[in-house]
Amino acid sequence: MSQIWANTIDISEESCPSVKNILLLDSEGNRVAVKYYSDDWPTNSSKEAFEKSVFTKTQKINARTEAEIAMFENNIVIYKFAQDLHFFVTGGDNENELIISTVLQGFFDAVGLLLRGNVDKKEALENLDLILLCLDEIVDGGIILETDANVIAGKVASHSVDSGAPLSEQCLMIQFGVKQTQFLDFKLDSAAKREQFGH
């Protein structure tokens, strides 16, 4: 009986939801920050070719208000754009699209919080260390660790603590960033609805 029980709860890394890469590209398809967690692209040139192909396939789609999905080279690619930045998360074709979408949204929102609503290439490059820490908090070795933007931003902020600023001030700045991002999302959503209904 114990043998049957052991076989039914066999949990391995293969059964955990995972992603193959997370890409942050600029509006021309150039790298801002990327992390690969799969051997599907063994060389730097194959990674760059994948990035260019994904960018080319998605650049004409308006993915500014909601995330979009595409199948590409037997992979699910979920993507969303903000200003001059393009966010992508890739998973295998057997992965759950909603989980990959949640990873993308967590990354997108955490970057918005960390950049205090100024989500553009210039800010991203000036705060590249925060974005790379953000990636590390979301995924480790392809396994999804966290998708809640507030938790991700909080952990990243604790890693990059300004020794001169009191902790309470840092918490307030993170909360301010959360509220500012929520307000901007509300304004964009309202504008999109007005445009959709012709008001």
Side-chain angles (χ1 to χ4, degrees):
M1 187 71 164
S2 64
Q3 181 64 29
I4 294 170
W5 178 253
N7 288 338
T8 60
I9 60 167
D10 180 30
I11 298 175
S12 65
E13 281 188 22
E14 289 139 14
S15 66
C16 293
S18 62
V19 298
K20 293 186 173 187
N21 63 43
I22 299 178
L23 312 173
L24 180 57
L25 307 177
D26 69 13
S27 59
E28 296 173 2
N30 299 314
R31 287 179 173 184
V32 176
V34 300
K35 283 268 188 154
Y36 283 82
Y37 310 103
S38 167
D39 294 332
D40 290 5
W41 305 275
T43 64
N44 197 42
S45 59
S46 64
K47 291 174 184 173
E48 289 175 348
F50 177 78
E51 293 160 21
K52 287 290 181 192
S53 297
V54 167
F55 176 79
T56 302
K57 182 175 181 172
T58 60
Q59 71 178 345
K60 294 182 179 165
I61 297 171
N62 182 10
R64 296 201 181 274
T65 56
E66 291 185 16
E68 296 289 335
I69 183 171
M71 288 298 293
F72 190 77
E73 296 178 2
N74 296 322
N75 293 301
I76 297 170
V77 179
I78 309 278
Y79 56 97
K80 190 171 183 176
F81 307 151
Q83 304 292 337
D84 54 355
L85 292 176
H86 294 213
F87 295 74
F88 300 89
V89 176
T90 306
D93 58 0
N94 60 337
E95 293 295 338
N96 184 317
E97 298 153 6
L98 293 175
I99 293 174
I100 297 171
S101 180
T102 303
V103 172
L104 174 74
Q105 195 63 49
F107 178 45
F108 185 88
D109 291 344
V111 169
L113 292 172
L114 292 167
L115 299 182
R116 296 184 177 102
N118 298 323
V119 183
D120 61 29
K121 181 180 176 182
K122 180 180 180 286
E123 280 294 314
L125 290 173
E126 287 176 2
N127 295 282
L128 191 56
D129 58 333
L130 298 179
I131 292 173
L132 293 173
L133 282 171
C134 187
L135 292 173
D136 290 341
E137 292 296 338
I138 297 169
V139 176
D140 183 23
I143 304 300
I144 301 163
L145 301 175
E146 183 62 64
T147 59
D148 184 307
N150 292 321
V151 173
I152 296 163
K155 288 181 178 180
V156 169
S158 70
H159 287 302
S160 59
V161 172
D162 177 7
S163 58
L167 186 57
S168 60
E169 186 178 310
Q170 293 169 21
C171 292
L172 285 173
M173 289 308 294
I174 290 171
Q175 278 304 103
F176 175 73
V178 170
K179 295 299 180 193
Q180 186 177 26
T181 301
Q182 290 171 345
F183 177 73
L184 291 173
D185 287 345
F186 173 76
K187 297 276 288 179
L188 287 173
D189 189 43
S190 296
K193 285 180 182 175
R194 281 195 304 273
E195 185 176 302
Q196 180 182 10
F197 294 110
H199 294 288

